[in-house]
Amino acid sequence: MSRTLISGGTIVNATGTNRADVLVDGETIAAILAPDSLLIGKDGAPAVDGVIDATGKYVIPGGIDAHTHMEMPFAGTTASDTFETGTRAAAWGGTTSIVDFVVQTAGQNPLKQYELWHEKAAGNCAVDYGFHQILSDVQDSSLTAMDELINEGVTSFKFFMAYKGVFLSDDGQILRGMQKASDNGALIMMHAENGSVIDVLVQQSIQRGDTAPYFHGVTRPWQAEAEATHRAIMLADLTGAPLYIVHVSAKQAVEQIAVARDNGRNVFAETCPQYLYLSLEEHLGAPGFDGAKWVCSTPLRSRAEGHQEHMWQGLRTNDLQVVSTDHCPFCMKGQKEMGLNDFSKIPNGIGTVEHRMDLLYQGVVMGKISLSRWVELCSTTPARMFGMYGRKGVLQPGADADIVVYDPNGHTSIGINKTHHMNMDHSAWEGFEVDGHVDMVMSRGTVLVDDGQYFGRAGHGQYIKRGLSQYLI
Ligand code: DUC
Ligand code: ZN
Ligand code: ZN
C-alpha cells in the first residue's frame, strides 16, 4: 500500500492546532508525527512513496456537508447537480463527505426510495456519501421502515412543517415520528416553518400583484420560523426525541433553540452560508427577476434586522453547532424562470456545496470564530452529529485519510467563470473574493484535487453506513 507524508503543515482539529506531519497509509491515517520525525530512507528521502509539502498551510479533516439535495425532484423540476457533478464540485471545495436526503412523498415506500437513491449515487460520486431520509407520508409502514433504515445506516429523518401537499406533515404525524425516534435512537431533523401561515401570505401576495422574488422573503416571515421552531421543540420534548433544526435563518429561531438548550433539551441546529452573508434587501430584492437566484427556504432575512450577525454569534456561542449548505441548485434558464410572474413557482434552492469551506474560513479571517471552531462546525460536529466520527471529522490514526491542505495566504475568486464547478448557469456567490484557498484535497488516501488540477473520478466515493448520533446519550 502506498504511503504519503503530508509534511510541514499546521494540523487543525476541533480540539486545537499543532505543527505535525500526517502519515497516510492506503486509505487511512497511519500516524500523526512530530515534524520531520519520519525515518529517512537510504537515499536520504523520507521512507514514503510520496510527500505533500504543506509548509505554511493548514492541514484539516475533509469537510462534511450534512445537508445536500443532489438531483432532487422538487417543484416540477430536478435540482441541477447530479451526484456526479455535485460531489465533484464538493471535492473542489474541500468537502470530502456529503449526507444527502432520500425523498419520500405521499404513497411512496421509504425503503424503495432509499434503494432508488442508492441507484442514483452508486458509481457516480467523487466523495463519500451518506443518506438521511425525508418522511412525508407518516403512517405505520413508514414508521416501521425507520427501524430498517437505521440498520442500513440511515439514522436521521427529516420532517417538514411547510410545503403543504408535498412534504408537510401535521403535528400529529410529526409526533408519531418523534415517538418512534425516541425508541430507536434516530435523530429527527426539522424544516421548521409554519406552512399554513406561509401559504395564506403567499396567496394574498400574489393576489395583490406582489409577484417578484422579493416577496418570497416577505411571505415567509421570521415569526413563521420562530413559531415552528418552538413547536418542534415542544413536540420533541413531549416525546423525548432528539431534534436537529435545519437551515436556521431567523435570529428569533436561534433564541428558541438557545432557550431549549439552556433548559437541558437535546436540541441542535445548523445554519448555512447564505444566512451568514446574503440578505432579503440586497439579494432577494435585486432588480428585475435576479432575486430568483436567492429564492430558498427558509428565506434570506433582512440585514436591517440583524439576522446575519446573530447567526455568526450563534456559531460562536454554540447555540448553532453545524454549518451545512442545503445545496439545492437550480438554473435560471428553464428552472428558476418558471416563476417569472409568480415567485411561488420559483424552485427553492441555492448551490453552495463548493464554497462552504472557503466561506466559513472568512469567519476566521474576520475574527468571528477560531480556526478550530471552523473545523468543528464544518467537519467534526457533522461527523459526531450524524454518526461518522472517528472515521470522519478528525485527523487521528485510524481515521479515513480525508484531508485538506488549506492555504491561509491564498485567495479564491468565486464566480461562474472562475472557481465554479457546480452545474448551474449562475452563482449565488458571484463576485465573492475571499481569503484562503483549498490547495489539496484527499479522500480516503486518494488525491482528488491538487494545485488547481482535478484527479478525482466518479465512483471513487463510497456509501457511508452511519451509526447513531454521537450526541445522544
Ligand atoms: N429548502 C430549499 O431551499 N430547497 C430544498 C428544500 C428546502 O427545504
Ligand atoms: Zn428544508
Ligand atoms: Zn434541504
Side-chain angles (χ1 to χ4, degrees), residues 437-454:
H437 188 259
V438 173
D439 272 13
M440 191 285 304
V441 181
M442 179 183 275
S443 159
R444 284 182 289 103
T446 298
V447 173
L448 304 185
V449 177
D450 191 18
D451 201 16
Q453 269 192 285
Y454 188 70

Side-chain angles (χ1 to χ4, degrees), residues 67 69 72 74 134 158 160 163 167 191 193 216 220 246-247 274-275 295-299 325-330 336 347-350:
H67 189 154
H69 301 282
M72 181 202 197
F74 188 56
I134 288 173
K158 183 178 178 188
F160 284 77
Y163 297 119
F167 294 129
H191 180 121
E193 286 187 296
H216 170 78
R220 302 182 92 96
V246 295
H247 47 54
Q274 52 269 35
Y275 307 125
V295 165
C296 62
S297 295
T298 59
T325 56
D326 196 7
H327 179 78
C328 193
F330 296 100
K336 293 277 187 184
N348 290 193
I350 287 185

Side-chain angles (χ1 to χ4, degrees), residues 215-234:
F215 294 98
H216 170 78
V218 174
T219 56
R220 302 182 92 96
W222 64 259
Q223 291 90 339
E225 185 183 344
E227 183 280 326
T229 302
H230 178 75
R231 187 157 32 102
I233 290 167
M234 290 299 115

